[in-house]
Amino acid sequence: MTSPLIEALPARHGFATVNEATLDAFLAVHADSVLFFPGDTDRLVESADVAVILPELLKSFPHVAPALVEKSAERALQLRFRFNAFPALVFLRGDGYLGAITRVLNWPDYIAEIRAILASDPSAPPPYKFPDHCVPAANGSAPLAEDHSE
């Protein structure tokens, strides 16, 4: 299930809808773009907030083409762009990664972050940073939380 605010983005604000199969074609025709990853909208009330904020933010950055990532493609594309929190905005120049903003920010912080991201050169997405309380498993499998009980 998703929020009506998120579902309205394509019709009301002209957002493209992308998935694993269509993303590269979308990126090929846009110099700068932002991908909106809402995440689990039943659990994350912030996702609806970003759905309201993002169209307003884009008025300050009209050259940035927005796309809503389909729910079914979120996890695979999250692995491609290596962010670890939802909702997320991933900024790209062509198919080159510029940066990501996760969660909700204050308006001035959004403007400053987006300006800095758009002023940067494309690079590889950053490696995943494990939270301080997690350590990678020795065999390369999923990280495990450290046991702090005594």
Side-chain angles (χ1 to χ4, degrees), residues 8-123:
L9 290 172
R12 178 177 267 178
H13 298 288
F15 280 44
T17 303
V18 297
N19 58 38
E20 292 172 89
T22 62
L23 176 59
D24 290 328
F26 170 80
L27 298 177
V29 297
H30 298 289
D32 288 336
S33 59
V34 59
L35 307 179
F36 176 33
F37 292 77
D40 182 354
T41 57
D42 289 335
R43 201 174 51 81
L44 300 168
V45 296
E46 297 171 320
S47 297
D49 294 339
V50 175
V52 172
I53 294 166
L54 184 55
E56 295 303 313
L57 281 170
L58 290 172
K59 291 177 182 177
S60 296
F61 305 95
H63 68 286
V64 176
L68 174 63
V69 176
E70 290 180 5
K71 187 97 185 129
S72 63
E74 281 189 328
R75 289 297 178 182
L77 293 177
Q78 177 188 20
L79 291 173
R80 178 173 170 178
F81 298 115
R82 297 184 227 153
F83 61 90
N84 59 9
F86 292 92
L89 302 175
V90 173
F91 292 85
L92 302 153
R93 178 156 300 128
D95 64 355
Y97 175 87
L98 295 175
I101 298 172
T102 57
R103 309 220 187 253
V104 176
L105 303 179
N106 292 320
W107 187 266
D109 297 330
Y110 267 124
I111 296 295
E113 287 283 326
I114 294 170
R115 281 188 181 138
I117 288 170
L118 293 175
S120 66
D121 291 324
S123 65

Side-chain angles (χ1 to χ4, degrees), residues 126-149:
Y128 280 112
K129 181 179 182 319
F130 292 106
D132 292 337
H133 65 281
C134 294
V135 293
N139 65 3
S141 63
L144 302 173
E146 291 178 339
D147 183 4
H148 294 287
S149 62

